[in-house]
Amino acid sequence: MMREPMRGRTAIQRGAVFVAVGLLLYGGVFAASESLVYRHALRNRFYAVKNARPEPYDYVILGASHALPLDFADTNSKVEQATGARIINLAMPGAGIVPNRLVLEYFLAKRRTRAVVYVLDSFIVTSRQWNEERLTDVKLMHRAPFDPALARLMVSYALRGLINPLVPLNYITGLPKVNNADRFKPDMHEMEGKYDRVYRPSEREARKRVEYLYPKQLSEDVIAGYIGMFAELSSFLRARSVPLIVVKLPVPAYYAALLPREDELTRRLMSVLDGDVPFYDLTRVGNDERFFFDTDHLNRDGVRNLLDARLVAILREHLAPATAPDGP
Amino acid sequence: MLLAITLVSYLGALAIRGWPARARAILTAGILIDLGALIAFKYVNFLSASLERWLGLIPSAGAVALPELNLLLPAGLSFYTFSAVSYLVDVYRGKVEPERHLGHFALYVAFFPKIFAGPIERARTFLPQLGQRVAFPADRMAEGLYLFLWGLFKKVVIADRLGVFVDAAYGMPAYAPTVDLVVAVYFYAFQIYCDFSGYTDMARGMARLFGIDLMENFKRPYLAKSAGEFWGQRWHLSLATWFRDYMYIPMGGSRVAWPRYYFNLMAVFAVSGLWHGAGWTFVVWGALNGLYRWIELVTARLWGRLGGWLPGAKNSPLLGAVRIVLTFHLIAFAWIFFRAPSIAAAWTVITRVAGSLTMLPRMFQAYRYGPELVLSVILIAFLLLVEALDERKDLWERVRVKPTAIRWAYAYLLIFGLLIFGKWGLAQFIYMQF
């Protein structure tokens, strides 16, 4: 039996009903994906903020992938035990100043911290890829639970041109969660599976890694812009009376030698901060090659060694004045 | 390049009709220019590298360095040059009138849904549609959208998912576990089908939204019962019929002495292989399929006799199923050469799988089946189910007469399949490389 051909208006009405039913169904899928986030999320930084304990933290750790091992396995709780501090690690792989600022603002809108530790890498000032464009990587949004406060923050960032408009669009529609192929897998970065490995150094691999992180041509304008943003981040924290501590973590000597303009960029980054921002260059502290699970990330022994050698002491030192009993 | 080929073919066709006495010379010139561009962009480096290698085998020749043309291959060149050539030949043969409207002709060559990967349309079916007043009945629009959705589903949900396994195994076949290689061989057969037919369905669906019908390029190819049926009636029909009409039949086709007939067949398959890519793997792939056709022709009389002795068996569904499975395996085997980066790599895949044939059942038992692999197998089963239903009665014909709820359910299934399981932003279409 042939159907009657539809007239224009009927077709539009039916189209509208089709879209409305589709949106309803999408709502169901969105809700199911959201519930999976709460079941499997673990390391996602937006999830960590939304589900952070209400008591104030002593340290928020920001940075890129070099800061991640401080949160692998049970490392964070061990650092907390060793220092007596409450720590939340919000570093994200490949995250430059913009994504770190976003997650920090989100955190400070909900919780408090006594200090921020920024694990610094020079590549973060060299490209939009690690800043405005970084959050377009849907992997970072796979387990980000929906929160109107975060949605508003992302929209305001997009309106100011600080992030790609796709980021709030992805976040609000929940597409990265709906389309997450790893929806039933534990929420861990692939690097965490290598945490106990010892890497056999390869200069070729190190060179490839550096080529991946740094653009072929470093643009002065771009660098100056991000250095300015780093200064703004410091001012933002100072205005909230949150001290900033800057740390550079160890990397193997052969890897460090390949980094373009490393000392100069570090010097320029630190020069725009106030004189009272403590800076600890631990690049060469325990940077023996056996302490890395790949070209430049600390393995479990490397982290343990770093903690024993300096980091625990640094964290204790900056914790001490504020925890001293009040009054005589 | 697109503009040059369009103008050459447009003016060439008008000249063929304007100067009948010089028609053959004009046709030859037009074909040489069109195909010359294709050869220059796609095959010069391959030919010079092959020549260098062959000359290197002659001790007295010494080291030879032939010139190379490092040109960027324009996207879709293989497809639109073939469309242009078919138009010139059809005008010469009097099968189609030369198009006087340059805009219409340019649209024939470069109609955007088909420009990158076909179908290789014929002017006699495409051009008459351009002059007509187009109506947009909702049913036709819906059909176009369904076709587009189904094509996108095949590409993004099935092909790109299978591609992850295929790329991993073919990346380093010498080190990949044998089971992964077997999985990759099977998956590639479905990946390339879903990738290419997905593109075609999307192109056809999109064209339908503009009121234009493009030809059907695939007709459930893995349900073919012989290699002849696969190539002649089911796979990449616009290319297969192009080679039939513009190469095989002009060479004499099957109406020649049997050695020439066999040669014609093999020549068409080898050239068709080369059309896909400038590499020996593609030539071997084409020749292998030609060999299948030879074997079918040689044994045709034997099968005919057997059918006469066992008339019941000839039409038995079991025998039909066996033939489908056998044909699929032959085709899948040939795809190894198509996918492998080199003949040596293809050989590695074949020898490693063949060397472990007896151990494969145990290997498959011990294999760790991840959720992605299981999902891939389910999707292949779903595809085959749809194809089997489609074989009996066109799927759209089934769907369009169903109540709205069922038609919408089908559409939502595809849309939400895309949203939930799609592999977005991963890979270009395989056939766009050609």
Side-chain angles (χ1 to χ4, degrees):
Chain A
M1 189 185 76
M2 289 294 287
R3 287 175 179 277
E4 287 283 311
M6 268 188 284
R7 285 168 43 197
R9 192 166 171 178
T10 321
I12 291 170
Q13 283 169 345
R14 287 169 75 96
V17 175
F18 181 83
V19 171
V21 174
L23 287 175
L24 270 177
L25 289 172
Y26 187 79
V29 173
F30 184 99
S33 307
E34 193 74 6
S35 76
L36 282 175
V37 164
Y38 282 95
R39 196 174 297 176
H40 297 289
L42 181 69
R43 298 279 187 246
N44 183 281
R45 299 323 191 190
F46 300 109
Y47 175 83
V49 172
K50 186 153 192 230
N51 294 281
R53 291 167 292 183
E55 304 83 30
Y57 283 80
D58 294 304
Y59 291 112
V60 166
I61 297 179
L62 298 178
S65 60
H66 285 153
L68 295 184
L70 298 174
D71 196 29
F72 283 171
D74 56 352
T75 307
N76 193 56
S77 53
K78 284 192 170 157
V79 181
E80 285 185 328
Q81 279 171 16
T83 57
R86 288 165 40 72
I87 303 170
I88 185 168
N89 190 325
L90 300 181
M92 290 181 278
I97 298 152
V98 175
N100 275 295
R101 169 84 182 253
L102 177 84
V103 76
L104 176 67
E105 278 193 50
Y106 178 45
F107 175 86
L108 291 176
K110 293 185 162 285
R111 301 282 182 262
R112 280 185 296 142
T113 181
R114 296 207 357 237
V116 167
V117 177
Y118 200 113
V119 176
L120 189 65
D121 286 287
S122 61
F123 76 87
I124 60 169
V125 296
T126 60
S127 168
R128 284 179 65 86
Q129 186 186 353
W130 312 120
N131 289 285
E132 288 88 340
E133 300 297 328
R134 182 63 189 113
L135 290 173
T136 53
D137 179 356
V138 289
K139 280 184 190 165
L140 297 176
M141 295 292 163
H142 275 163
R143 319 278 185 164
F146 185 75
D147 184 343
L150 180 56
R152 275 196 300 274
L153 190 61
M154 283 184 175
V155 170
S156 79
Y157 265 60
L159 290 175
R160 285 185 283 154
L162 288 173
I163 53 173
N164 189 316
L166 265 180
V167 177
L169 191 68
N170 273 338
Y171 179 68
I172 291 165
T173 59
L175 267 175
K177 282 177 275 188
V178 168
N179 187 245
N180 179 12
D182 297 328
R183 53 180 71 83
F184 299 113
K185 283 187 188 166
D187 173 26
M188 286 200 311
H189 194 277
E190 59 194 20
M191 286 197 296
E192 193 162 349
K194 302 175 189 170
Y195 190 40
D196 288 308
R197 286 190 197 169
V198 175
Y199 181 69
R200 200 170 60 187
S202 155
E203 185 150 334
R204 202 173 122 253
E205 290 302 312
R207 208 173 286 280
K208 269 167 65 181
R209 168 93 178 137
V210 172
E211 281 168 10
Y212 166 72
L213 290 174
Y214 293 83
K216 274 186 186 147
Q217 296 287 327
L218 298 188
S219 155
E220 259 322 302
D221 290 345
V222 171
I223 291 171
Y226 291 125
I227 288 177
M229 281 190 191
F230 193 57
E232 282 172 27
L233 176 71
S234 166
S235 310
F236 169 80
L237 287 172
R238 198 172 51 248
R240 282 156 186 76
S241 306
V242 178
L244 173 66
I245 302 155
V246 181
V247 179
K248 284 188 79 176
L249 293 190
V251 288
Y254 76 100
Y255 176 85
L258 296 172
L259 301 177
R261 297 167 58 181
E262 176 68 0
D263 292 339
E264 177 217 327
L265 291 176
T266 306
R267 210 170 37 248
R268 285 175 64 185
L269 273 163
M270 294 315 301
S271 69
V272 295
L273 304 179
D274 288 337
D276 60 351
V277 172
F279 172 52
Y280 299 93
D281 187 353
L282 310 179
T283 317
R284 290 174 187 81
V285 177
N287 67 341
D288 193 289
E289 287 159 3
R290 71 195 152 96
F291 286 141
F292 296 86
F293 66 75
D294 65 9
T295 49
D296 55 314
H297 294 99
L298 289 167
N299 61 20
R300 194 187 290 269
D301 287 344
V303 169
R304 197 179 294 143
N305 180 67
L306 174 72
L307 290 170
D308 293 345
R310 291 295 305 277
L311 200 55
V312 167
I314 292 170
L315 295 175
R316 275 195 190 141
E317 181 190 331
H318 289 279
L319 194 64
T323 47
D326 290 336
Chain B
M1 186 47 55
L2 180 62
L3 184 67
I5 283 179
T6 304
L7 286 176
V8 163
S9 308
Y10 172 76
L11 296 172
L14 291 175
I16 286 170
R17 190 48 44 94
W19 290 286
R22 303 257 169 112
R24 198 177 175 85
I26 297 165
L27 171 71
T28 309
I31 292 175
L32 282 177
I33 292 171
D34 285 348
L35 293 184
L38 182 62
I39 290 166
F41 276 95
K42 196 166 169 180
Y43 299 105
V44 164
N45 287 357
F46 166 67
L47 291 173
S48 66
S50 299
L51 258 176
E52 278 175 15
R53 207 171 308 143
W54 291 333
L55 290 172
L57 295 175
I58 306 169
S60 57
V64 182
L66 294 171
E68 282 189 2
L69 283 180
N70 290 317
L71 301 172
L72 205 62
L73 181 66
L77 182 68
S78 307
F79 292 90
Y80 61 75
T81 47
F82 268 39
S83 286
V85 167
S86 75
Y87 169 70
L88 282 176
V89 176
D90 283 355
V91 169
Y92 174 76
R93 287 175 179 169
K95 288 186 175 176
V96 65
E97 279 300 304
E99 176 60 56
R100 293 184 187 281
H101 193 299
L102 178 59
H104 282 186
F105 182 71
L107 194 59
Y108 160 66
V109 178
F111 184 49
F112 81 91
K114 70 171 183 72
I115 188 170
F116 293 121
I120 304 167
E121 282 295 315
R122 301 302 148 76
R124 58 179 175 271
T125 54
F126 188 90
L127 284 171
Q129 300 184 59
L130 298 182
Q132 292 170 1
R133 197 178 169 78
V134 181
F136 294 99
D139 275 11
R140 200 176 149 77
M141 301 287 278
E143 186 184 358
L145 286 172
Y146 273 100
L147 204 51
F148 182 86
L149 267 180
W150 176 232
L152 191 62
F153 184 91
K154 281 198 280 188
K155 164 67 181 162
V156 176
V157 178
I158 307 180
D160 289 351
R161 171 162 277 101
L162 303 181
V164 174
F165 294 93
V166 173
D167 291 349
Y170 276 95
M172 280 202 276
Y175 300 102
T178 314
V179 177
D180 285 1
L181 291 176
V182 176
V183 167
V185 169
Y186 280 102
F187 277 15
Y188 187 65
F190 290 100
Q191 184 201 354
I192 192 161
Y193 170 53
C194 289
D195 189 284
F196 192 15
S197 71
Y199 178 93
T200 307
D201 287 346
M202 287 161 71
R204 290 179 64 220
M206 234 187 293
R208 205 154 287 186
L209 297 179
F210 289 92
I212 288 175
D213 281 323
L214 298 182
M215 70 183 288
E216 204 175 343
N217 225 2
F218 295 90
K219 290 184 177 171
R220 285 92 41 208
Y222 292 136
L223 299 181
K225 291 176 180 156
S226 66
E229 185 187 342
F230 181 88
W231 288 109
Q233 298 165 40
R234 290 178 181 272
W235 182 271
H236 202 176
L237 293 171
S238 64
L239 183 72
T241 51
W242 193 99
F243 274 110
R244 183 196 66 199
D245 294 345
Y246 305 107
M247 183 176 172
Y248 178 66
I249 291 174
M251 286 172 80
S254 58
R255 294 178 181 175
V256 284
W258 72 264
R260 180 62 196 262
Y261 172 32
Y262 278 60
F263 171 79
N264 289 350
L265 265 179
M266 186 55 82
V268 165
F269 273 103
V271 173
S272 144
L274 206 53
W275 176 87
H276 285 86
W280 288 106
T281 47
F282 294 104
V283 179
V284 172
W285 167 76
L288 199 51
N289 282 292
L291 184 67
Y292 295 160
R293 287 292 292 129
W294 276 8
I295 293 168
E296 281 175 6
L297 289 171
V298 169
T299 56
R301 206 172 280 175
L302 175 70
W303 299 121
R305 271 189 206 156
L306 274 175
W309 293 333
L310 303 164
K314 195 177 174 184
N315 295 320
S316 91
L318 182 66
L319 182 64
V322 169
R323 289 180 65 192
I324 288 172
V325 170
L326 185 64
T327 303
F328 170 77
H329 279 85
L330 289 172
I331 299 296
F333 178 77
W335 286 132
I336 295 173
F337 287 94
F338 194 93
R339 174 59 183 83
S342 64
I343 291 178
W347 192 243
T348 303
V349 173
I350 293 164
T351 49
R352 289 201 55 214
V353 173
S356 312
L357 273 181
T358 53
M359 290 177 284
L360 275 180
R362 243 185 313 141
M363 287 177 171
F364 270 103
Q365 265 182 341
Y367 193 67
R368 283 184 63 189
Y369 296 90
E372 275 292 295
L373 184 87
V374 173
L375 179 61
S376 300
V377 173
I378 291 170
L379 286 166
I380 290 172
F382 174 68
L383 173 79
L384 290 175
L385 176 72
V386 171
E387 300 266 286
L389 289 171
D390 205 23
E391 180 78 354
R392 290 185 179 178
K393 186 180 175 187
D394 182 78
L395 203 60
W396 171 245
E397 289 302 320
R398 285 174 192 270
V399 171
R400 70 193 293 255
V401 294
K402 298 282 187 219
T404 305
I406 293 180
R407 281 186 293 141
W408 284 16
Y410 178 61
Y412 288 133
L413 179 77
L414 294 180
I415 292 169
F416 283 94
L418 281 163
L419 290 174
I420 297 170
F421 299 113
K423 292 261 178 192
W424 296 96
L426 272 184
Q428 63 165 331
F429 289 94
I430 295 173
Y431 262 72
M432 275 191 182
Q433 302 159 35
F434 307 139

